C-alpha cells in the first residue's frame, strides 16, 4: 500500500492530471471557436451555405460506405489543426524564440568535423582536433 501511496503522491502524476484537465478544457475552447466562428466564416465565403457531406455514400454488395461522414470529420480535423497551428503553435514559437535569443550559448560547432561540442572544450570528442576555449581566445 505504501508503494501505491508513493506513486499517487509523485509530482508527475499530479502534473499529468492537470495537463489532461487543461487539455480537455482547451479542446472544448478550440471546438467552440471552430464551430461558432470559423465554420460560419467558411459558410459566408461559400455563399451562406456550410458544406455537409453526411449523405454521400455508395453501396457494394449490400454494404453501405458512408464516405461523406468521413469527409466531414476530415475537414473538421483540418480546420481544427489549422486553427491550433495559427493561433497557438505559431505565437508560442515566436514567444519561445524571443526567450531563446537571450540565452547564452553552451555549445559550439567543431571547425573540423562540424559536430556540436561544449563551448569550453579543449579537444573535440568526435575528431580529437585541439581547440582553444572561448575564455582563452584573444579579443
Amino acid at each position: 500500500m505504501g508503494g501505491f501511496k508513493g506513486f499517487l503522491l509523485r509530482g508527475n502524476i499530479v502534473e499529468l492530471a492537470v495537463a489532461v484537465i487543461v487539455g480537455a478544457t482547451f479542446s472544448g475552447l478550440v471546438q467552440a471557436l471552430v464551430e461558432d466562428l470559423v465554420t460560419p466564416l467558411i459558410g459566408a465565403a461559400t455563399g451562406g451555405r456550410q458544406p455537409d457531406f453526411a449523405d454521400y455514400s455508395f453501396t457494394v454488395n449490400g454494404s453501405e460506405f458512408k464516405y461523406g461522414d468521413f469527409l466531414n470529420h476530415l475537414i473538421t480535423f483540418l480546420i481544427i489543426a489549422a486553427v491550433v497551428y495559427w493561433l497557438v503553435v505559431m505565437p508560442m514559437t515566436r514567444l519561445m524564440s524571443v526567450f531563446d535569443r537571450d540565452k547564452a550559448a553552451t555549445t559550439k560547432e567543431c571547425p573540423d568535423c562540424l559536430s556540436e561540442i561544449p563551448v569550453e572544450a579543449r579537444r573535440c570528442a568526435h575528431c580529437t582536433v585541439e581547440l582553444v576555449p572561448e575564455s582563452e581566445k584573444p579579443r
Side-chain angles (χ1 to χ4, degrees):
M1 190 69 168
F4 182 68
K5 182 180 175 183
F7 169 73
L8 289 178
L9 295 177
R10 280 188 6 209
N12 293 348
I13 197 152
V14 173
E15 291 172 4
L16 179 62
V18 169
V20 167
I21 292 167
V22 170
T25 305
F26 183 73
S27 173
L29 179 68
V30 170
Q31 290 279 353
L33 175 71
V34 169
E35 289 174 10
D36 299 339
L37 299 175
V38 176
T39 304
L41 282 174
I42 293 171
T46 58
R49 180 177 163 269
Q50 296 176 5
D52 184 17
F53 304 105
D55 295 333
Y56 291 18
S57 65
F58 64 91
T59 305
V60 175
N61 291 332
S63 295
E64 186 177 14
F65 294 86
K66 298 180 181 182
Y67 70 92
D69 187 48
F70 173 75
L71 285 175
N72 279 342
H73 282 63
L74 178 64
I75 291 168
T76 301
F77 169 77
L78 292 174
I79 292 170
I80 289 173
V83 166
V84 168
Y85 179 75
W86 290 106
L87 297 181
V88 177
V89 174
M90 289 289 291
M92 284 303 295
T93 303
R94 286 192 181 132
L95 182 64
M96 294 307 292
S97 70
V98 168
F99 289 122
D100 287 344
R101 226 180 312 160
D102 299 334
K103 213 166 39 173
T106 58
T107 61
K108 65 180 178 181
E109 200 172 75
C110 173
D112 205 42
C113 70
L114 305 178
S115 61
E116 198 170 279
I117 55 173
V119 171
E120 292 297 319
R122 295 181 179 278
R123 187 176 292 274
C124 177
H126 303 280
C127 68
T128 69
V129 69
E130 287 191 42
L131 304 165
V132 177
E134 295 293 322
S135 61
E136 296 178 12
K137 283 187 179 178
R139 295 186 183 200

